[in-house]
Amino acid sequence: MSKRVMTPEDLLQLRSVTSPALSHDGEHVVYVETTLHNEKNTYSAELIRASLANPDDYQYLTQGEHINRVPRWSPKADVLAFLSNRTGTTQLYVLGSWGEPKQLTDEKKGVTDFRWSPDGSRIAYSSTQFPEAEKEEDKPEPLVVNKMKYKSDASGFWQGEYVHIFTVDIDSGTHTQLTDGELSYTLFDWTADSEQLIVASVNQENTDFIFTNDLILLSVDSKEQTQLTDQTHVISDASASPDGKYLAVRAHEREYDNATQNEIYLLELATNTWTKLTGDWDVQLGPVVAADFLQNTVDPGLVWAGDSLSLTFLVSEQGNVGIYQITVDGQREAILTGNQHVYGYSISSDGRTLVAGISESGHPGDLYNVSPGTDEQTRLTTSNDSFLEEVEVVQAEEVRFKSEEGHELQGWLLKPAGFSDGESYPLVVEIHGGPHAMYANSYLHEFQTLAARGFAVLYINPRGSLGYGQEFVNAVRGDYGGGDYRDIMAAVDYVLGQNAWIDETRLGVTGGSYGGFMTNWIVGHTNRFKAAVTQRSISNWTSFYGVSDIGYYFTEWQIQADLDDTDKLWKHSPLAYVNQIETPLLILHGEKDYRCPIEQAEQLYIALKRREKTTTFIRFPESNHELSRSGKPSLRLRRLEAIGEWFEQYL
């Protein structure tokens, strides 16, 4: 039986299977299955427990129309903690043999993260706390702004809130607030004795020009804080060894601002001795994949083995994400690698049992029981099997070649669904955001819908992408529209030369965020493309400097200019080349995008229309910068349809 082709609406049929959590006996795994619902325009996420010995033996632990996520087992009992928004805000729950979830918190603004104490008696959690004086809902108040970091694409305008750390006793239900004041804290872990928490904060009154944070030990009894660093690092994770001797820390020293790769440091607590374990390893630690399908993924961070002699963690390199292990004396070993995207995992303390979430370009993702260090895998989930039996999913073909400047470039080519030799097909070039991100051997729904419409899809990692070493990721800074543009065009030339079936007169280009900037730049510098779609883009660095939630520092880091050098800002602005744009351009933008505010799209649209160029502007209500990944389902579908229809019209 022939399969039908993919549609945007198929996003509603697919299930995202993520966040595996192994039980202590190694016999079961709990995971999250996320579904999109068009009728109510919402998401739901359920917790499912499955047997490793018999994956068909599974049980839904939660059911309904809520989002239940981040399952974590107690270290000492068969009790599961998780986050759920079933009351309207995200709160902390536990589930045990009693069968019904028990709510542990009732924080007004919800719970953002949590960690079990090693003795299983308490859970530490973080929660956003607002000033005592609450505003009346029906009376709008002016927003008084006294800081530069006053808004966020994720959370909106800052109104005096701070993130603080709490504990809750499992037996008594007693809550204790451990931090207060005008500081925010990030929760990482407990120390092995269950007496202290490992947290991070910025101990500065004015953080507008502070981009590092400090590692702190926080006593859960006295609330005393011991600062372990002195604003020298950007710390993204820390975990304590089970024997209490070490802290493992993932961080970097901002040598290349936000283009700096992470390192793993080992802190010996007794001597306060720091050792960089990964100093000779030129890779990106942690997952950095640009994708649009998976929901409720969790980076496991730095995971200690039970004997305190090694750590496991995710590594992004060469278009793949895999699991590696490093010992306390710096010896590295690959645990799970290959042409795939490992988007999460759970490993037993003895390292013998590993459950990993794995996606490939032709498969949305499943959980697998993996024999560490071998190729032996048993698939545990089949959430999308019936769908995949009916719908054609195209497997990407890897593209590798050397640029004229001598560096190797990697990308992938999707042939059109139903490809037939002897036929001629148009090509759409996709450009990821960041720019410090990475396309990978992973499923991308947008690309599959374009292939289903008869387009070939080319996507590459140009200079500036993570996964290819520090020099490569740093190469884009101060050169937007230079070497990165040449890399993308070289990729187009290469695939045209290798694939005679691609019609070079029918080329399209699209991308979002930095990819939107590059789309704007490309159509202002060549007329080779017959259609383009720019999404949540940047068009004018001069105005971006003041309107983006990250504008002033991101512009200085990436363009390496500020308002004292408007000539350079304008030189790198696609709006400066609007007279040269002849390509029909569709502009897509979210109304509530604070990362690349919608005025960037408005300027470009008006400039094009004033010059009577072919363009259409679609504004997406209630949508921030994450529209394509986590926006309202109906708007995500409308976006996919608009992209496909534009390319069908002009290619």
Side-chain angles (χ1 to χ4, degrees):
M1 182 180 70
S2 62
K3 295 184 177 182
R4 67 173 178 83
V5 296
M6 189 79 71
T7 68
E9 290 74 18
D10 286 327
L11 191 60
L12 304 172
Q13 306 300 320
L14 289 164
R15 303 288 185 265
S16 176
V17 182
T18 60
S19 304
L22 271 171
S23 60
H24 298 298
D25 59 13
E27 295 182 0
H28 293 86
V29 63
V30 172
Y31 59 91
V32 179
E33 182 183 84
T34 305
T35 307
L36 283 69
H37 304 281
N38 198 31
E39 306 80 19
K40 296 188 177 181
N41 214 18
T42 58
Y43 297 72
S44 68
E46 306 301 345
L47 302 182
I48 301 173
R49 181 177 61 191
S51 166
L52 267 64
N54 180 16
D56 291 333
D57 177 15
Y58 64 89
Q59 174 190 6
Y60 278 82
L61 301 181
T62 61
Q63 288 185 309
E65 299 178 352
H66 311 296
I67 295 177
N68 305 282
R69 58 188 181 89
V70 198
R72 290 179 178 145
W73 291 98
S74 164
K76 299 297 183 181
D78 190 22
V79 178
L80 187 75
F82 63 96
L83 299 178
S84 176
N85 68 349
R86 62 188 60 200
T87 62
T89 56
T90 299
Q91 303 294 342
L92 178 63
Y93 291 77
V94 289
L95 179 63
S97 57
W98 54 85
E100 288 296 325
K102 175 184 176 183
Q103 185 173 340
L104 291 184
T105 62
D106 190 24
E107 299 293 341
K108 187 168 185 178
K109 298 300 179 181
V111 172
T112 53
D113 199 4
F114 72 95
R115 294 290 189 279
W116 282 98
S117 63
D119 63 12
S121 67
R122 289 173 288 189
I123 296 178
Y125 65 91
S126 55
S127 175
T128 300
Q129 303 293 299
F130 277 74
E132 291 297 324
E134 291 289 336
K135 299 175 182 177
E136 296 184 43
E137 295 290 338
D138 59 344
K139 291 184 179 180
E141 295 283 343
L143 179 69
V144 180
V145 176
N146 289 304
K147 56 191 294 184
M148 297 175 77
K149 295 179 183 175
Y150 74 93
K151 61 183 177 181
S152 161
D153 185 68
S155 55
F157 291 121
W158 184 80
Q159 300 186 59
E161 66 271 22
Y162 295 94
V163 178
H164 286 295
I165 308 298
F166 300 75
T167 60
V168 56
D169 185 274
I170 300 302
D171 291 333
S172 68
T174 301
H175 290 251
T176 304
Q177 183 169 344
L178 301 182
T179 64
D180 55 22
E182 297 182 353
L183 294 174
S184 283
Y185 293 83
T186 301
L187 174 64
F188 288 136
D189 199 7
W190 291 77
T191 54
D193 56 13
S194 297
E195 295 181 359
Q196 298 182 95
L197 290 169
I198 308 164
V199 301
S201 187
V202 180
N203 189 20
Q204 290 286 324
E205 182 176 338
N206 182 0
T207 62
D208 284 340
F209 296 98
I210 303 296
F211 302 99
T212 55
N213 54 357
D214 281 316
L215 196 64
I216 297 168
L217 291 178
L218 171 63
S219 169
V220 295
D221 290 330
S222 68
K223 304 182 184 180
E224 291 183 1
Q225 298 185 17
T226 304
Q227 189 167 312
L228 301 176
T229 57
D230 188 21
Q231 286 190 11
T232 53
H233 292 78
V234 179
I235 301 166
S236 58
D237 188 44
S239 61
S241 62
D243 64 6
K245 291 177 61 177
Y246 302 107
L247 297 186
V249 182
R250 185 175 67 193
H252 66 75
E253 297 184 74
R254 294 194 66 237
E255 298 96 324
Y256 306 93
D257 292 318
N258 66 327
T260 312
Q261 294 182 151
N262 285 316
E263 305 280 0
I264 295 177
Y265 297 82
L266 195 67
L267 169 60
E268 187 173 12
L269 289 169
T271 62
N272 196 35
T273 302
W274 288 82
T275 303
K276 186 187 290 188
L277 293 182
T278 55
D280 63 341
W281 199 15
D282 194 12
V283 297
Q284 173 62 18
L285 305 176
V288 292
V289 173
D292 65 353
F293 171 68
L294 294 166
Q295 300 289 322
N296 295 309
T297 58
V298 176
D299 176 9
L302 303 175
V303 182
W304 280 97
D307 60 11
S308 299
L309 296 179
S310 63
L311 299 149
T312 59
F313 48 91
L314 294 174
V315 172
S316 299
E317 59 174 342
Q318 298 289 318
N320 299 305
V321 181
I323 305 173
Y324 280 80
Q325 180 185 80
I326 194 166
T327 63
V328 292
D329 58 2
Q331 301 300 307
R332 299 189 296 267
E333 180 184 358
I335 301 299
L336 177 61
T337 57
N339 293 325
Q340 57 197 15
H341 170 201
V342 179
Y343 55 80
Y345 70 93
S346 181
I347 190 168
S348 61
S349 60
D350 62 8
R352 295 178 181 176
T353 306
L354 170 65
V355 173
I358 301 174
S359 175
E360 298 174 352
S361 65
H363 195 283
D366 267 313
L367 300 185
Y368 294 80
N369 187 1
V370 179
S371 241
T374 75
D375 295 328
E376 296 179 22
Q377 298 181 2
T378 302
R379 190 153 65 105
L380 298 174
T381 58
T382 57
S383 299
N384 295 306
D385 276 19
S386 58
F387 173 82
L388 296 174
E389 288 173 0
E390 300 177 358
V391 179
E392 180 179 359
V393 181
V394 181
Q395 182 72 41
E397 301 172 5
E398 186 183 56
V399 173
R400 280 189 184 267
F401 65 99
K402 282 196 172 181
S403 70
E404 289 184 4
E405 293 159 279
H407 57 269
E408 186 176 65
L409 292 169
Q410 180 188 27
W412 295 266
L413 179 66
L414 284 179
K415 288 182 177 177
F419 175 83
S420 177
D421 286 328
E423 296 292 325
S424 179
Y425 297 92
L427 173 72
V428 173
V429 179
E430 288 268 6
I431 309 169
H432 67 64
H436 309 312
M438 180 184 79
Y439 278 141
N441 283 296
S442 187
Y443 177 86
L444 289 128
H445 190 69
E446 177 182 328
F447 298 5
Q448 293 292 334
T449 63
L450 288 172
R453 290 179 181 264
F455 301 108
V457 181
L458 170 65
Y459 50 109
I460 77 156
N461 288 323
R463 69 190 75 182
S465 302
L466 286 163
Y468 304 90
Q470 184 62 78
E471 182 180 347
F472 191 82
V473 70
N474 188 56
V476 74
R477 295 202 307 144
D479 190 38
Y480 273 46
D484 48 358
Y485 169 67
R486 294 193 298 275
D487 286 349
I488 293 167
M489 298 308 295
V492 173
D493 290 337
Y494 178 80
V495 298
L496 288 176
Q498 296 292 312
N499 300 276
W501 51 269
I502 298 176
D503 185 347
E504 64 179 345
T505 68
R506 292 190 291 160
L507 302 180
V509 61
T510 186
S513 194
Y514 164 81
F517 160 83
M518 279 305 308
T519 299
N520 297 339
W521 185 268
I522 286 170
V523 296
H525 287 78
T526 178
N527 291 326
R528 291 181 66 183
F529 295 90
K530 302 308 176 188
V533 181
T534 184
Q535 308 170 52
R536 57 189 188 282
S537 72
I538 296 170
S539 67
N540 184 346
W541 287 106
T542 305
S543 63
F544 179 85
Y545 186 93
V547 298
S548 168
D549 64 342
I550 62 172
Y552 67 98
Y553 56 87
F554 185 86
T555 305
E556 292 177 12
W557 294 347
Q558 294 292 308
I559 305 303
Q560 298 183 338
D562 59 17
L563 295 180
D564 290 331
D565 191 358
T566 54
D567 287 345
K568 186 172 184 180
L569 295 181
W570 188 241
K571 173 187 173 183
H572 288 280
S573 296
L575 195 63
Y577 308 95
V578 68
N579 285 329
Q580 298 165 208
I581 297 177
E582 300 296 337
T583 305
L585 181 64
L586 174 64
I587 303 171
L588 309 180
H589 221 105
E591 296 277 8
K592 292 186 177 180
D593 190 332
Y594 291 159
R595 183 59 41 84
C596 296
I598 199 168
E599 61 87 29
Q600 293 286 306
E602 292 171 327
Q603 291 187 65
L604 182 59
Y605 173 71
I606 292 300
L608 288 169
K609 291 296 284 188
R610 181 64 183 85
R611 290 158 177 78
E612 299 183 345
K613 304 297 179 79
T614 302
T615 186
T616 296
F617 183 18
I618 301 179
R619 304 170 65 113
F620 290 83
E622 303 177 35
S623 300
N624 67 0
H625 203 62
E626 296 298 307
L627 168 63
S628 65
R629 296 177 281 263
S630 60
K632 290 186 179 296
S634 64
L635 296 179
R636 291 181 67 183
L637 298 184
R638 181 66 185 91
R639 171 187 163 275
L640 291 171
E641 290 164 357
I643 295 169
E645 290 167 359
W646 188 263
F647 285 130
E648 283 186 340
Q649 180 179 357
Y650 290 100
L651 296 185

